Amino acid sequence: MKTGIELIAEERQRQIEKEGWTPEHDDQHEGDELAFAAACYSIPGKRRSMSLAGYRRGQTLLQCLWPFDLSWWKPTPENRVKELTKAGAFNAAEIDRLLRKIEREKKEQEAANG
């Protein structure tokens, strides 16, 4: 049996190879889109259709959070492990994006300081 981390690594690799979501592509998502996508897949299926009160009244939790075109939303509510694996892969992509950003900023700062 594979571990969660192994499943997440495989899903992230699939996203890169099959979907084309390369690190360069991910770097364009500076508005927390990858984290929001991870959050959406983390929400249990029965909770995604919850309506919200207040600011976004009448919209569901999913409608408020999903950051991409709905054609990219591919839930598998019958397979919770698969959904959490997707969430983990999106989180991994976001972590990697942030680490690359920190490294770029560090290099820029070093260059500016001579």
Side-chain angles (χ1 to χ4, degrees), residues 19-70:
E19 304 288 351
W21 308 138
T22 62
E24 295 78 19
H25 174 270
D26 292 346
D27 287 347
Q28 298 172 24
H29 292 294
E30 296 182 345
D32 299 315
E33 296 95 337
L34 300 172
F36 279 114
C40 288
Y41 280 111
S42 294
I43 299 168
K46 62 186 173 214
R47 301 282 188 202
R48 292 177 188 146
S49 61
M50 290 175 55
S51 292
L52 299 178
Y55 177 70
R56 297 244 176 154
R57 179 166 288 206
Q59 287 191 318
T60 65
L61 186 56
L62 180 64
Q63 289 170 321
C64 290
L65 294 177
W66 184 249
F68 305 118
D69 187 280
L70 278 178

